[in-house]
Amino acid sequence: MVNAATKKVFVIGKSGFVAKQLASYFSEQDNFELSVISAREFSRVDCGKDAICIHAGECGDRSYVNNNYDYQGFLERLNQNILDSDFSKVVYLSSSVVYGDKNKAPSTETDALEQIDLYAKLKCKNETLFNFGNNTILRLSNLYSKESFTQNNIFGDIYKQLKEPTSDPVYIRNGSPVRDFLHVGDLSRALLAVINKDVSGIYNVGSGDGLSAFDLATQIVQHKFPGKQVISKNTSSTFSYQVQDITKFKNDTGWVPVYNLENLYD
């Protein structure tokens, strides 16, 4: 039964990777009335004055967004419908891509932003759109879970090569880029902290640590096939670094990441 302390939460993006994870997590929490809504079907809703919106309705496929200019119109309509619904709080899930990949130290929330492609440009634009009042902007690092092995990314590429226990090396495109990786379990915990602490403004949410693509691949491969070789096809030394400083979020909410790559195999 819904009581006076129950928080109404609408998660936008029903078919997406993030929304599915959040729906599972929040359904297990006390005092939440959860609704998960498709981004394609969402229109203005009578949500009530205390309802919270978790905006996970954007496409996470960067290549698709960069090559589909009709997507921008869809996103504008979705965002306007969210604004028209008059939620008490919108938590907009942005991305660390807004910092670019040339910072030589972990990025802070006050660092300059880089609109290096349409995907990053839309993230920056939508941050500005939702950054007012009680709303919260979360700049997320690269998300992962065991479902990542089914996706078109480095996790999926590695998994395909590990399906057959051959002695062949595992190949990755480029082992040098350094990235910050965030488990979806920690994202779910971060969102719960945002709601319970009622923080607003812009925050970085990630692991706070950098891992090269080569080291990531090596850890995954060695877990299943100790001694198996990992080879980077591209040996270019071009600098690419994208790690987040998460001090502000930790201080304001008390949240700290608790998951690591071992949780890929749970």
Side-chain angles (χ1 to χ4, degrees):
M1 177 181 294
V2 176
N3 58 48
T6 297
K7 297 179 175 68
K8 295 179 67 176
V9 178
F10 291 79
V11 179
I12 310 299
K14 186 175 183 178
S15 62
F17 169 67
V18 172
K20 289 178 181 178
Q21 305 292 326
L22 298 183
S24 175
Y25 179 80
F26 276 92
S27 66
E28 298 174 354
Q29 306 302 313
D30 294 332
N31 299 324
F32 281 93
E33 180 186 357
L34 186 71
S35 299
V36 185
I37 305 173
S38 166
R40 290 286 177 185
E41 298 174 356
F42 178 77
S43 58
R44 186 184 185 281
V45 298
D46 183 11
C47 57
K49 66 177 182 178
D50 296 323
I52 298 165
C53 173
I54 298 176
H55 186 348
E58 293 185 27
C59 177
D61 187 332
R62 192 169 178 177
S63 177
Y64 172 84
V65 173
N66 286 332
N67 292 286
N68 188 341
Y69 286 89
D70 290 338
Y71 175 77
Q72 186 169 354
F74 154 74
L75 190 55
E76 289 175 351
R77 292 189 295 274
L78 171 63
N79 290 339
Q80 190 59 55
N81 285 335
I82 291 174
L83 292 171
D84 289 345
S85 295
D86 198 25
F87 289 101
S88 66
K89 183 183 190 69
V90 175
V91 184
Y92 172 66
L93 304 188
S94 186
S95 169
S96 60
V97 301
V98 299
Y99 295 117
D101 66 345
K102 302 306 178 187
N103 286 351
K104 295 185 178 180
S107 301
T108 69
E109 290 84 352
T110 58
D111 284 348
L113 305 186
E114 298 287 341
Q115 299 184 24
I116 58 178
D117 58 11
L118 180 60
Y119 185 87
K121 178 181 178 180
L122 291 177
K123 288 294 185 184
C124 292
K125 178 181 178 180
N126 295 334
E127 283 190 9
T128 301
L129 184 67
F130 288 106
N131 188 22
F132 67 90
N134 195 42
N135 294 343
T136 309
I137 311 296
L138 299 185
R139 292 173 177 162
L140 307 180
S141 58
N142 297 271
L143 294 171
Y144 73 93
S145 76
K146 62 182 179 181
E147 290 190 10
S148 298
F149 288 132
T150 66
Q151 298 178 322
N152 184 25
N153 54 25
I154 188 171
F155 294 93
D157 289 344
I158 294 169
Y159 184 74
K160 288 176 185 176
Q161 296 179 67
L162 294 179
K163 281 187 175 181
E164 299 296 333
T166 68
S167 59
D168 295 339
V170 168
Y171 293 93
I172 57 174
R173 292 174 219 173
N174 190 343
S176 61
V178 175
R179 295 292 183 266
D180 188 334
F181 294 91
L182 176 71
H183 191 279
V184 291
D186 279 327
L187 170 59
S188 297
R189 294 176 53 254
L191 286 165
L192 186 62
V194 166
I195 293 171
N196 287 338
K197 296 289 185 178
D198 198 23
V199 296
S200 59
I202 298 176
Y203 291 96
N204 290 334
V205 180
S207 71
D209 295 316
L211 191 66
S212 73
F214 182 83
D215 288 340
L216 171 68
T218 299
Q219 288 191 37
I220 294 172
V221 170
Q222 294 303 310
H223 182 274
K224 190 165 185 178
F225 296 107
K228 195 176 184 69
Q229 189 178 12
V230 175
I231 295 178
S232 174
K233 294 180 180 178
N234 185 345
T235 57
S236 168
S237 59
T238 300
F239 182 82
S240 179
Y241 180 92
Q242 191 181 89
V243 179
Q244 304 211 75
D245 184 325
I246 58 175
T247 303
K248 180 184 175 185
F249 189 67
K250 289 165 64 176
N251 289 344
D252 286 4
T253 66
W255 171 94
V256 292
V258 298
Y259 290 85
N260 56 45
L261 287 176
E262 288 299 314
N263 298 109
L264 277 169
Y265 316 106
D266 292 345

